[in-house]
Amino acid sequence: LAKTTQPISMDSYEGQEVNITCSHNNIATNDYITWYQQFPSQGPRFIIQGYKTKVTNEVASLFIPADRKSSTLSLPRVSLSDTAVYYCLVGALASNDYKLSFGAGTTVTVRA
Amino acid sequence: DAGVTQSPTHLIKTRGQQVTLRCSPKSGHDTVSWYQQALGQGPQFIFQYYEEEERQRGNFPDRFSGHQFPNYSSELNVNALLLGDSALYLCASSLGLAGDSYNEQFFGPGTRLTVL
């Protein structure tokens, strides 16, 4: 199971871009990189997923270098409502060793 | 289209008691996973059910057991409750185990269990 390392917290201001980098040095060939967002007293919510290079959707971008040992979640022009905990996960659901667990996550605080 | 639903929302038990939590997956999903989230920590994988069988299990004792019904809904049972079992219990559903890609999980709002 690939272990992930993320910063514990990050502060930002409204309108800025927030970049959160996650390290996953022992990522396996079949593993995907997935990011979730969680607000207090709610279940995590899927943000974005990728395997390599760059993935972009309506809320975020995910940058994955060629060696896939790290990934960066980019949140463009954050607002106060983006204040949440962000989790980086590495795993493959179809894997026989699937035991997907979240790390401590990164608490992002957006200030006005 | 209803998402993942869980019941009850909150629950208070005392040490030694038993508890059953329930989960209904998102429409069309057939796989249910359960997570325990202690205060200030990320969710920890308990186990996953697919085709009414436990397919994967995390590092949780046998006091934690589960079941999946033919309609894909699931129950999490915890026996001999300990104070340390106090947590938010999350259910997540996804579609199948087939294929090579990671299947997105949809999480329910959770059940807050307090053990006194």
Side-chain angles (χ1 to χ4, degrees), chain A residues 71-86:
Chain A
S71 59
T72 299
L73 173 72
S74 180
L75 304 172
R77 300 178 298 281
V78 294
S79 63
L80 296 176
S81 63
D82 292 317
T83 294
V85 179
Y86 292 82

Side-chain angles (χ1 to χ4, degrees), chain B residues 44-62:
Chain B
Q44 298 301 304
F45 177 77
I46 302 175
F47 43 52
Q48 180 186 75
Y49 277 85
Y50 173 69
E51 293 186 337
E52 301 180 48
E53 290 187 9
E54 183 183 294
R55 296 291 179 156
Q56 294 283 343
R57 189 178 183 92
N59 296 322
F60 280 82
D62 292 345

